[in-house]
Amino acid sequence: NVLTTMDYQQKLAEKLTILNERGSGVLIRMNHIKKTCADPKQRPSILTDKGMESAVKYINKKFPNIDFRGNIQNLTGIQRQKSEVLSATSSYYDSFLDVIEFRDHVYELLNTIDACQCFFDIAINFDFTKNYLDLIITYTSVIITLSRIDDKKALVGMFNCAHEMTNGCSDSSYPRLGQMFVEYEHPWKKLTEEFGPHTRSVTSALLSLKMVYPRRNLPAEQWRGAQLLSLLSAPAAMLDPACCDTMSCEYLSMEVMERWIIIGFMLCHSSLNSNQASLELWKMALRSSLYLTLTRDEMLNIHKVTEDLFDGFKGYSKRVADIKECREHVIVNCGAMHRERRQFLRGALKELFNVLEDEPGLLGPKALFVIMALSFSRDEVLWLVRHSENMPKIKTPEDYVDNQMAELLFYMQKLRGLMRKYNHVLQRYHVQYLAQFDALVLNDTIQNMYVCPEEESVLMSSFVSTLSGLSIKQVENKEEFDFRALRLDWLRLQAYTSVNKAPLPLKDYPDLAKVMNLIQFHTRMVDSVEEVLQETSDTVHILKMFNQSQDEMTMKRYLMSFPSVCSHFSQCGHPLCPEEVIMEKRSLRLCVTFLEQIAKQTSNIVLEICAEQCNLNEQLLPKHCAENISAARHRKQKKPVPKKGEVQKEKPGAESLRKDRTVATNVDKMHLTLTELCSSYSLCNDLIVFDHIVVPTEFLLSHLETRLSEIIVRMANYNQTTQEIARPSDLLAGIRVYTATLHSLSSYINVDVTRLVKNVLLQQTQPLDSRGGATITNIYTNWFLECLLRQASNSLIVHCPTMHCFINQTIDSEPSFRAEEFSDISELRALAELIGPYGLKFLSENLMWHITSQVSELKKLVIENMDILVQMRSHFDKPEEMANLKKRLTGGENVLKRMTIIGVILSFKSMAQDCLKDHCPYLMGPIKCLRDFISPEADIKVTLSVFELASAAGLTCDIDPALVTAIRSMQTDNISVDEEYKLTCLLLVYIAVSLPALALDNNSSYSREHGGEYSSIRSHLLQTSALKRSSCLICRLHSLCVVPQTASSTLLQLGQNVERVEVKNRESIYLLLHMIVEESPFLSQDMLESCFPYVLLRNAYREVYRSFIVTLG
């Protein structure tokens, strides 16, 4: 009576489905607990707390019979923190209870299946048999993983102890849980006892694999001979649908079958001695692997575990011998066999992908080929991963290392991509197949059945009606398909028809099983392609093989397949273990690590090519042509015989001369490597890892940006100790070569090189880059201030207006550098192009800081001599009093020294600013009009804003906004505006009365050749003029006439000293006063002539030009 209702009421199909899903979650949770407890960083704090050590030791020793009251001294730590212990261990305790619950349901279902005497055959009732075997393996894996958790007793014992202390009684489930832990101290022995009654059912299910497993477990030679997975082997049959009687078996995982066979016969080992077919199938599986996966990275050493188990049984000595023989066979033969399989699959997948990429319409009839190719490849990949990590001691370790793994993984990803991309092709083909062929065949099969009970008839009629109702319009309208109900009904039908004495025994109707298995595959191709791909090509463990492939030249184009695998991690979790959120961080970090390494390799090779091109361009620079010019001059002379051992220097371009094209140069090899690496970026434009979108090319751009910034700074060759630095023009030439070479990267890969270069160069215009490192703006600012301008302030270098540069003075010692090589127009234009307006602004700010420090010192001198300067200002028209007052002044030489420093700085700033004129040619006209329209009398804020804009464009303004800002910043609240006005006017008086002292300087003589004085006396001109223009905002324009008046009064006294040393360079100083008036927009010649006779200026010009020798020709 039970058997007549068992197939309908016991719901075997539903229970198998639910328990397998539940078991997967429990298994993942057990694995998570094991990993958490084993990791010192994640280990529960209650297990690491020193106050809990005695309690943990006591619980582990007495478990499960723990005396909670008699040994309270050992449990004081738990007593003090019982609420914390409860909250910390409750999730672990509940997880272990889930194992008990799962075990109870599994026992109940297995007993029910045994009572029903179910029929199992993987070729007929595939889903029913697979779910049954999966449940057995999942349950076994849960128990084995549970036994490997070292802290399970401590966690459960501590929970129950805290529970008793809190509630006054133990938890009701604790006795069963403790008993289970004790029983499974030796899990395999206990499991074999439990599965003894199920031997008949398990054995019959396993023996159904005797046709499928050997057919899958063939060497590569037989695959190659049968032209497995080849679409080109039979061109005439290329459009024929790929199908067989056992569709689902064709892509069933080898590892899954080996797990079924090895673990199944371990649990039901008695059949090995009583059934020869069982023994042969078991030995075949033992000859294929050394390790099996329980879950994720939990491995099972199958030979060791089986041998240890069988050693404890009587009459199993032959089986132990078989195990040892099989292990030796694996060690000797399997490495080479799997290596050949991988080699075959690489070629087969490449051919399959190329054909399907060219003709994606073939994905419809040949979808099975793709699924088989992915499944076969996945099996070989995971086999290598398992065994390379636990490599046995063998003579050929290279069989367990595959540096070409990236290629196989690459084509697996490509085939997956094709299946996703052309999903509509698969749907269109299989919807028509289901409606126009499968439905008709199924209907005919049903009609030919001589008996069909009501329940089975309802299910099969629903199959036919569901399939017949499909149409191609549903695909065109992009309707969503869902055949999960149909597939579950087919599983129910398998369960109904597989029990003993079923009214409709499925084993008597193999045609029905064949057509339904075919329909099931076709429905999966319509609504669950992603699920099939995940099932057949999950390769998350392959990530450990990256280092083997990245060093192989031919594998570099396939490296992107490794980070793409990280996108599969999102499908590895389970709702029963939500704590695995860390998987998202780890997978993202792993993906980023791979992309960083690929980007690093690519950026390295790109920049090596740039460096090589830079070296070649260096040979073409004008500074290297002297030898060629010298050789050309002596071309007619007899060529001297080269000395023995002397190497002739090659001319630029000699590297392009080739005698043999097959000889690859270093540049050829680098371009080949770059081509290979860039090809890897073609796999995908972006990767989706959980909720993150990762763009591989952005990592390359980031690496290039960082490295390029470092290289640009390094190309400057700045040595702070010796003050050596590269000329700006040389650096600019090098950067142009790098930029041109980087742009060639766009022909390999779709990246925005222009954006990259702009970002890098824009950062170089700032004092610090995005990483806080020094830039060329910082370096050149420091060098010009500390080296060139410092020497100029000491008169070792002078400004040459004619050449628009600084030049070295003639001194006894050799100069450390030639000033004109760093300060002429071409170099400053190169500098302006390198650091741009932002960099020149930073340079200007630093120059202004030095000026303000000098002005502040000058003001101190003014304050010291204030009374005298006030009198000189009011008595400038009284020569005798001026002479007496001048003698009382102190610090006159100091004033001139500081004037020189300020003048040098302003001269350099003016030269650098002039080089910005070509920076924005299309805006120069409007900016000039705006500058000319504004006058100093207008609103000062508006005036300064316009002048700042004009200065940034390289235009000269009546007032230097940077200098005005710097001087204004010196004003303090303690000084009133009137006092500031007075100090500024007296400072101008001080400068004016100090000018005659320059006549004593030997370097103050005017040079027509250089367009100015030998010393930096012209800098005094710029300094005085600029200070006057900037001070006009404080002093008012009418007060500036004091400068020519006071200066003329003191200079005219030089004319009275005809024989004194002071008149040595008198004419040059006269000309200086004339140039000061010319430079200032607020002073006029009329104002000068009113206090200084023009005849003196005319005579001064005639005198200084008389000594200049004119040469012609």
Side-chain angles (χ1 to χ4, degrees):
N1 187 29
V2 173
L3 293 177
T4 58
T5 59
M6 185 71 69
D7 50 347
Y8 301 131
Q9 296 180 3
Q10 293 302 325
K11 300 188 181 299
L12 301 181
E14 292 86 342
K15 289 180 180 179
L16 280 172
T17 303
I18 294 171
L19 283 178
N20 269 312
E21 175 66 18
R22 179 75 173 179
S24 299
V26 173
L27 178 58
I28 290 176
R29 187 147 189 82
M30 290 300 104
N31 181 69
H32 174 71
I33 293 175
K34 179 182 180 297
K35 298 298 181 188
T36 302
C37 294
D39 188 350
K41 295 181 180 179
Q42 301 181 32
R43 188 174 170 84
S45 59
I46 59 170
L47 296 178
T48 57
D49 189 353
K50 291 186 178 180
M52 294 289 183
E53 285 184 5
S54 60
V56 172
K57 290 180 181 178
Y58 176 74
I59 290 172
N60 283 327
K61 182 179 179 181
K62 298 294 183 178
F63 190 88
N65 302 315
I66 305 170
D67 184 2
F68 300 107
R69 298 173 182 174
N71 290 280
I72 193 67
Q73 68 276 9
N74 293 318
L75 304 174
T76 52
I78 299 178
Q79 176 68 39
R80 287 195 300 265
Q81 304 180 46
K82 53 188 177 184
S83 58
E84 290 81 358
V85 171
L86 271 178
S87 61
T89 57
S90 59
S91 63
Y92 299 104
Y93 189 85
D94 292 340
S95 298
F96 295 136
L97 290 181
D98 289 341
V99 176
I100 290 184
E101 182 187 16
F102 176 63
R103 183 184 67 164
D104 294 342
H105 287 295
V106 170
Y107 281 164
E108 179 186 351
L109 182 58
L110 293 179
N111 290 331
T112 302
I113 290 174
D114 283 346
C116 294
Q117 299 179 22
C118 292
F119 159 76
F120 294 105
D121 189 334
I122 199 74
I124 296 177
N125 53 1
F126 174 85
D127 299 293
F128 190 54
T129 303
K130 180 180 183 298
N131 276 277
Y132 176 69
L133 293 173
D134 279 345
L135 181 62
I136 293 172
I137 302 306
T138 301
Y139 170 69
T140 305
S141 300
V142 168
I143 298 301
I144 298 303
T145 306
L146 174 66
S147 68
R148 294 180 178 183
I149 301 175
D150 297 329
D151 297 307
K152 58 181 179 293
K153 292 181 181 179
L155 291 169
V156 170
M158 293 176 76
F159 174 86
N160 192 58
C161 181
H163 188 279
E164 172 122 358
M165 293 174 178
T166 303
N167 302 306
C169 62
S170 297
D171 184 74
S172 59
S173 303
Y174 174 73
R176 287 196 66 203
L177 197 53
Q179 184 62 30
M180 183 182 71
F181 286 177
V182 173
E183 288 177 354
Y184 290 108
E185 286 286 347
H186 303 286
W188 287 109
K189 185 176 180 181
K190 178 63 177 177
L191 287 169
T192 55
E193 295 173 0
E194 293 174 352
F195 275 86
H198 310 304
T199 299
R200 190 196 66 81
S201 298
V202 174
T203 302
S204 65
L206 293 176
L207 287 178
S208 67
L209 297 170
K210 64 184 178 183
M211 297 300 294
V212 177
Y213 179 68
R215 189 171 73 241
R216 285 287 308 277
N217 195 14
L218 295 175
E221 292 78 10
Q222 291 185 248
W223 283 359
R224 198 171 282 111
Q227 293 186 309
L228 186 70
L229 305 176
S230 176
L231 298 179
L232 304 178
S233 58
M238 190 173 289
L239 293 177
D240 295 346
C243 60
C244 62
D245 294 341
T246 55
M247 288 289 282
S248 298
C249 296
E250 299 307 312
Y251 57 88
L252 186 59
S253 170
M254 277 280 292
E255 185 186 7
V256 168
M257 287 191 284
E258 289 173 1
R259 243 191 331 255
W260 290 347
I261 295 169
I262 292 171
I263 295 179
F265 283 126
M266 283 177 66
L267 300 176
C268 305
H269 51 81
S270 60
S271 64
L272 296 176
N273 290 333
S274 59
N275 192 320
Q276 184 64 27
S278 298
L279 180 62
E280 291 176 358
L281 186 62
W282 176 68
K283 290 171 67 174
M284 184 182 297
L286 284 177
R287 290 193 182 103
S288 296
S289 299
L290 291 171
Y291 296 91
L292 286 177
T293 303
L294 289 177
T295 178
R296 296 190 179 166
D297 57 349
E298 283 296 308
M299 297 296 167
L300 182 69
N301 189 334
I302 55 179
H303 298 92
K304 183 180 184 302
V305 171
T306 310
E307 184 178 348
D308 292 344
L309 177 65
F310 287 0
D311 271 340
F313 298 144
K314 291 183 179 180
Y316 280 78
S317 57
K318 290 185 178 180
R319 302 292 79 81
V320 172
D322 290 338
I323 293 170
K324 293 179 179 178
E325 182 269 329
C326 291
R327 185 177 187 278
E328 290 301 318
H329 181 274
V330 173
I331 292 174
V332 173
N333 300 305
C334 275
M337 183 184 74
H338 285 276
R339 184 192 65 220
E340 291 301 318
R341 282 185 183 175
R342 293 192 302 274
Q343 186 64 30
F344 167 79
L345 288 171
R346 271 189 281 270
L349 262 68
K350 184 176 182 180
E351 176 191 307
L352 185 63
F353 168 72
N354 289 334
V355 172
L356 293 177
E357 184 185 37
D358 188 57
E359 294 292 341
L362 291 175
L363 279 170
K366 301 301 181 183
L368 180 62
F369 276 37
V370 177
I371 302 301
M372 289 172 60
L374 292 173
S375 180
F376 290 9
S377 302
R378 191 271 311 272
D379 285 338
E380 295 307 313
V381 164
L382 296 185
W383 187 94
L384 182 62
V385 172
R386 293 197 306 271
H387 291 78
S388 62
E389 292 182 340
N390 305 277
M391 189 187 304
K393 295 181 179 179
I394 54 175
K395 296 181 180 179
T396 56
E398 62 274 8
D399 290 340
Y400 293 86
V401 177
D402 191 348
N403 54 14
Q404 295 181 316
M405 181 59 72
E407 182 179 3
L408 181 59
L409 189 60
F410 178 83
Y411 284 111
M412 289 177 68
Q413 298 298 319
K414 281 290 190 180
L415 286 174
R416 286 172 62 108
L418 280 181
M419 294 286 281
R420 293 192 184 100
K421 181 178 180 180
Y422 296 105
N423 186 43
H424 63 283
V425 174
L426 290 167
Q427 286 186 334
R428 190 181 186 89
Y429 179 86
H430 287 100
V431 163
Q432 295 180 78
Y433 204 119
L434 287 166
Q436 300 174 19
F437 180 81
D438 289 337
L440 301 179
V441 173
L442 178 60
N443 188 52
D444 291 344
T445 304
I446 295 172
Q447 297 300 324
N448 293 331
M449 295 172 64
Y450 54 85
V451 60
C452 189
E454 181 181 356
E455 186 73 21
E456 286 83 344
S457 176
V458 170
L459 288 176
M460 288 188 286
S461 299
S462 70
F463 295 161
V464 175
S465 62
T466 300
L467 300 179
S468 301
L470 297 174
S471 69
I472 196 68
K473 290 185 177 179
Q474 292 175 281
V475 180
E476 294 174 351
N477 295 335
K478 296 183 179 181
E479 294 185 17
E480 290 189 9
F481 295 93
D482 189 355
F483 294 106
R484 288 178 296 178
L486 185 147
R487 290 192 290 269
L488 182 57
D489 283 344
W490 167 227
L491 178 58
R492 288 192 184 102
L493 185 61
Q494 293 177 59
Y496 297 162
T497 57
S498 297
V499 298
N500 188 31
K501 298 181 181 180
L504 178 65
L506 188 60
K507 59 184 176 182
D508 294 342
Y509 297 94
D511 291 340
L512 175 63
K514 292 174 185 177
V515 67
M516 283 307 300
N517 286 332
L518 183 65
I519 288 172
Q520 187 201 43
F521 177 77
H522 290 164
T523 59
R524 297 189 75 184
M525 290 297 100
V526 174
D527 70 338
S528 57
V529 171
E530 191 64 38
E531 181 183 332
V532 176
L533 293 177
Q534 178 65 18
E535 177 186 328
T536 57
S537 58
D538 175 22
T539 52
V540 292
H541 301 295
I542 187 61
L543 301 175
K544 301 166 185 176
M545 310 293 291
F546 178 79
N547 291 332
Q548 296 180 13
S549 298
Q550 68 171 341
D551 297 329
E552 184 70 21
M553 170 64 74
T554 56
M555 292 297 107
K556 292 187 182 295
R557 63 169 53 211
Y558 307 119
L559 290 179
M560 196 58 67
S561 53
F562 286 96
S564 69
V565 171
C566 295
S567 60
H568 304 172
F569 276 108
S570 58
Q571 301 166 345
C572 296
H574 197 279
L576 268 182
C577 192
E579 295 89 348
E580 282 193 323
V581 292
I582 192 173
M583 185 189 298
E584 177 178 352
K585 296 179 180 178
R586 287 181 174 175
S587 57
L588 184 62
R589 184 169 65 246
L590 197 58
C591 179
V592 169
T593 300
F594 288 137
L595 292 175
E596 289 279 3
Q597 293 186 47
I598 297 171
K600 183 179 180 181
Q601 289 190 42
T602 309
S603 64
N604 285 346
I605 200 68
V606 168
L607 295 174
E608 284 179 18
I609 294 174
C610 291
E612 188 67 25
Q613 293 296 326
C614 193
N615 292 336
L616 296 176
N617 184 75
E618 176 81 10
Q619 300 175 20
L620 299 176
L621 292 179
K623 63 183 182 181
H624 295 298
C625 66
E627 295 182 7
N628 294 331
I629 295 175
S630 177
R633 288 186 60 191
H634 299 87
R635 189 178 294 125
K636 296 181 181 180
Q637 298 180 0
K638 185 177 180 181
K639 189 176 181 180
V641 179
K643 297 180 181 178
K644 188 176 182 180
E646 183 180 353
V647 179
Q648 288 282 0
K649 185 177 180 181
E650 292 184 346
K651 293 183 179 180
E655 70 282 345
S656 300
L657 300 176
R658 310 238 181 169
K659 295 182 179 179
D660 187 357
R661 181 60 226 175
T662 59
V663 177
T665 63
N666 187 42
V667 178
D668 293 334
K669 294 175 182 177
M670 288 192 292
H671 277 284
L672 176 61
T673 304
L674 179 60
T675 303
E676 295 291 318
L677 284 169
C678 289
S679 297
S680 70
Y681 287 89
S682 65
L683 178 62
C684 54
N685 293 326
D686 54 54
L687 301 170
I688 299 178
V689 183
F690 286 88
D691 296 329
H692 305 273
I693 299 177
V694 183
V695 182
T697 52
E698 289 300 317
F699 288 84
L700 175 58
L701 290 174
S702 176
H703 264 273
L704 285 173
E705 181 178 319
T706 302
R707 289 290 312 281
L708 189 58
S709 297
E710 295 172 353
I711 288 172
I712 289 175
V713 172
R714 195 161 57 244
M715 286 169 64
N717 294 327
Y718 180 53
N719 188 325
Q720 196 168 5
T721 305
T722 61
Q723 291 296 326
E724 295 178 355
I725 198 169
R727 295 169 63 181
S729 58
D730 292 346
L731 176 57
L732 180 61
I735 291 177
R736 283 174 173 167
V737 174
Y738 267 82
T739 302
T741 310
L742 281 173
H743 274 287
S744 66
L745 184 63
S746 301
S747 60
Y748 293 93
I749 183 174
N750 185 22
V751 291
D752 191 351
V753 178
T754 302
R755 175 169 67 95
L756 164 69
V757 175
K758 283 184 176 180
N759 286 345
V760 172
L761 295 182
L762 184 60
Q763 289 183 41
Q764 294 301 313
T765 65
Q766 305 299 317
L768 298 175
D769 61 17
S770 59
R771 294 167 290 105
T775 62
I776 55 176
T777 295
N778 198 329
I779 289 172
Y780 276 105
T781 297
N782 290 337
W783 186 85
F784 277 108
L785 283 172
E786 300 298 328
C787 192
L788 188 142
L789 296 181
R790 187 175 293 277
Q791 292 192 33
S793 63
N794 293 325
S795 299
L796 299 175
I797 294 174
V798 295
H799 180 234
C800 179
T802 302
M803 299 172 63
H804 293 280
C805 67
F806 285 87
I807 59 174
N808 296 86
Q809 283 275 50
T810 303
I811 54 177
D812 297 335
S813 60
E814 184 70 21
S816 58
F817 65 94
R818 297 185 63 188
E820 59 269 26
E821 292 183 355
F822 291 88
S823 60
D824 63 7
I825 292 179
S826 61
E827 295 302 329
L828 291 181
R829 283 181 177 174
L831 179 66
E833 189 169 349
L834 285 171
I835 66 176
Y838 287 116
L840 287 178
K841 181 181 180 183
F842 175 75
L843 174 61
S844 175
E845 289 172 354
N846 279 267
L847 294 175
M848 292 302 107
W849 182 87
H850 284 273
I851 288 178
T852 54
S853 63
Q854 298 301 324
V855 172
S856 63
E857 294 299 322
L858 288 172
K859 284 189 174 182
K860 291 179 182 178
L861 292 174
V862 170
I863 294 173
E864 291 178 7
N865 297 277
M866 183 176 292
D867 295 337
I868 301 173
L869 292 173
V870 169
Q871 296 180 50
M872 295 183 79
R873 179 187 178 190
S874 58
H875 298 91
F876 66 89
D877 54 347
K878 300 176 181 178
E880 294 80 4
E881 291 188 26
M882 288 290 290
N884 295 328
L885 290 171
K886 184 179 178 183
K887 293 177 181 178
R888 294 168 55 191
L889 282 174
T890 58
E893 294 180 359
N894 201 356
V895 171
L896 294 177
K897 178 66 176 177
R898 298 191 184 281
M899 285 169 59
T900 303
I901 295 174
I902 295 174
V904 165
I905 293 174
L906 291 174
S907 299
F908 177 76
K909 180 180 180 297
S910 175
M911 291 166 55
Q913 186 174 323
D914 287 342
C915 295
L916 277 175
K917 290 181 180 178
D918 298 329
H919 185 69
C920 47
Y922 300 106
L923 293 176
M924 291 303 290
I927 293 176
K928 284 181 180 178
C929 291
L930 192 58
R931 179 201 62 177
D932 296 339
F933 176 76
I934 292 294
S935 65
E937 289 80 6
D939 185 358
I940 186 57
K941 292 183 178 179
V942 176
T943 302
L944 289 179
S945 298
V946 172
F947 283 176
E948 186 174 2
L949 172 65
S951 297
L955 298 178
T956 304
C957 303
D958 292 342
I959 300 173
D960 188 340
L963 186 56
V964 171
T965 303
I967 293 177
R968 276 192 165 182
S969 65
M970 297 173 58
Q971 296 181 0
T972 61
D973 297 335
N974 299 328
I975 303 178
S976 64
V977 176
D978 292 336
E979 290 178 350
E980 189 68 33
Y981 164 77
K982 180 179 179 181
L983 283 176
T984 306
C985 292
L986 293 180
L987 174 58
L988 295 177
V989 171
Y990 204 166
I991 294 171
V993 299
S994 300
L995 289 180
L998 289 173
L1000 298 173
D1001 191 349
N1002 294 327
N1003 294 318
S1004 296
S1005 59
Y1006 185 90
S1007 169
R1008 177 183 175 185
E1009 179 183 1
H1010 298 114
E1013 291 71 11
Y1014 274 116
S1015 74
S1016 292
I1017 192 170
R1018 176 174 173 82
S1019 300
H1020 303 326
L1021 157 68
L1022 288 174
Q1023 175 262 349
T1024 306
S1025 178
L1027 280 181
K1028 287 195 301 180
R1029 282 181 281 170
S1030 302
S1031 300
C1032 75
L1033 302 175
I1034 304 171
C1035 302
R1036 310 295 183 269
L1037 296 179
H1038 67 272
S1039 65
L1040 295 181
C1041 61
V1042 71
V1043 176
Q1045 293 172 350
T1046 309
S1048 62
S1049 175
T1050 53
L1051 288 177
L1052 288 174
Q1053 296 180 30
L1054 291 177
Q1056 301 174 5
N1057 303 324
V1058 180
E1059 298 180 357
R1060 294 179 59 181
V1061 181
E1062 296 177 1
V1063 301
K1064 182 178 180 181
N1065 296 312
R1066 180 181 59 191
E1067 288 76 12
S1068 298
I1069 309 305
Y1070 288 170
L1071 298 183
L1072 175 61
L1073 177 60
H1074 183 232
M1075 287 187 287
I1076 288 175
V1077 175
E1078 283 187 333
E1079 285 285 335
S1080 174
F1082 309 117
L1083 297 177
S1084 63
Q1085 291 296 328
D1086 293 339
M1087 190 181 296
L1088 177 62
E1089 288 188 18
S1090 66
C1091 55
F1092 194 84
Y1094 182 75
V1095 65
L1096 295 179
L1097 295 177
R1098 183 182 59 199
N1099 293 336
Y1101 273 110
R1102 183 177 59 197
E1103 186 66 27
V1104 296
Y1105 275 80
R1106 180 185 300 170
S1107 60
F1108 184 73
I1109 301 175
V1110 179
T1111 58
L1112 300 175

